[in-house]
Amino acid sequence: MLVLLAFIIIFHITSAALLFIATIDNAWWVGDTFSADVWRICLNATNCTEIGYDFDDYATMQVVQATMILSTILCCMAFLLFLLQLFRLKQGQRFILTSIIQLLSCLCVMIAASIYTDRRQDFHAKNKHLYSQTWGGSYGYSFILAWVAFAFTFISGLMYLILRKRK
């Protein structure tokens, strides 16, 4: 039972770490000389432009930013709630509240990655002054980590739903 508990804790911490990296790091769209994410566009190591109000379709990019931040916060809250429930639940009860919060985190990261996947070409087309040198790129590791974090948080949420507290 202790091994299962350790696995669940490590799995959840890994999910949170993936969410932090995917949210913070500048690698959602990358090429040989540039990188772009939901926060800024870097044409080289020293020439970075923050995505701000002058960005066309900025409201959509803010949705991606907000849902990624929210998913990270919810994942951390679910972990703290799991630790609390570990000591407060009665024997035989399920970790339903932890599961719900973790599945909400899963939903948020899915929304963010889906919107970015769908709207990326529109972002580039409407903001040619920023993305003029980024046409030859591909999805970067932060984008892929966001989708991996989606899978991890989903599996983690299901584990909490099935899991019962034992002695």
Side-chain angles (χ1 to χ4, degrees):
M1 190 65 186
L2 195 57
V3 174
L4 179 63
L5 180 63
F7 172 75
I8 290 170
I9 290 173
I10 290 170
F11 196 78
H12 197 117
I13 290 172
T14 303
S15 300
L18 290 174
L19 285 170
F20 273 108
I21 293 168
T23 304
I24 295 170
D25 207 7
N26 189 29
W28 280 58
W29 184 256
V30 294
D32 294 334
T33 59
F34 67 87
S35 62
D37 70 348
V38 296
W39 305 103
R40 65 181 178 268
I41 301 159
C42 296
L43 299 177
N44 56 39
T46 59
N47 185 11
C48 291
T49 305
E50 299 293 323
I51 295 175
Y53 290 106
D54 59 337
F55 188 82
D56 286 335
D57 219 2
Y58 181 58
T60 306
M61 189 60 85
Q62 279 186 316
V63 170
V64 175
Q65 293 170 347
T67 53
M68 282 302 293
I69 291 170
L70 186 60
S71 72
T72 306
I73 291 169
L74 287 171
C75 186
C76 293
M77 284 176 48
F79 182 68
L80 294 175
L81 185 61
F82 171 69
L83 293 177
L84 179 70
Q85 284 184 322
L86 199 57
F87 296 106
R88 302 299 259 166
L89 279 181
K90 294 178 182 163
Q91 185 177 349
Q93 289 184 325
R94 295 186 189 270
F95 296 88
I96 300 292
L97 189 57
T98 301
S99 175
I100 290 170
I101 293 175
Q102 189 69 351
L103 289 172
L104 285 174
S105 173
C106 168
L107 179 67
C108 287
V109 72
M110 182 194 66
I111 289 170
S114 297
I115 290 172
Y116 190 85
T117 303
D118 181 56
R119 304 292 296 169
R120 184 202 52 81
Q121 289 180 338
D122 293 338
F123 294 148
H124 290 213
K126 290 180 180 178
N127 297 285
K128 289 183 181 181
H129 62 286
L130 295 173
Y131 287 104
S132 61
Q133 299 174 6
T134 64
W135 287 104
S138 61
Y139 291 110
Y141 67 88
S142 291
F143 176 79
I144 294 167
L145 286 180
W147 280 111
V148 171
F150 161 71
F152 272 43
T153 53
F154 182 71
I155 292 168
S156 178
L158 291 180
M159 280 193 306
Y160 289 130
L161 192 60
I162 295 168
L163 190 66
R164 287 183 186 269
K165 183 177 178 187
R166 301 195 189 246
K167 279 188 176 181

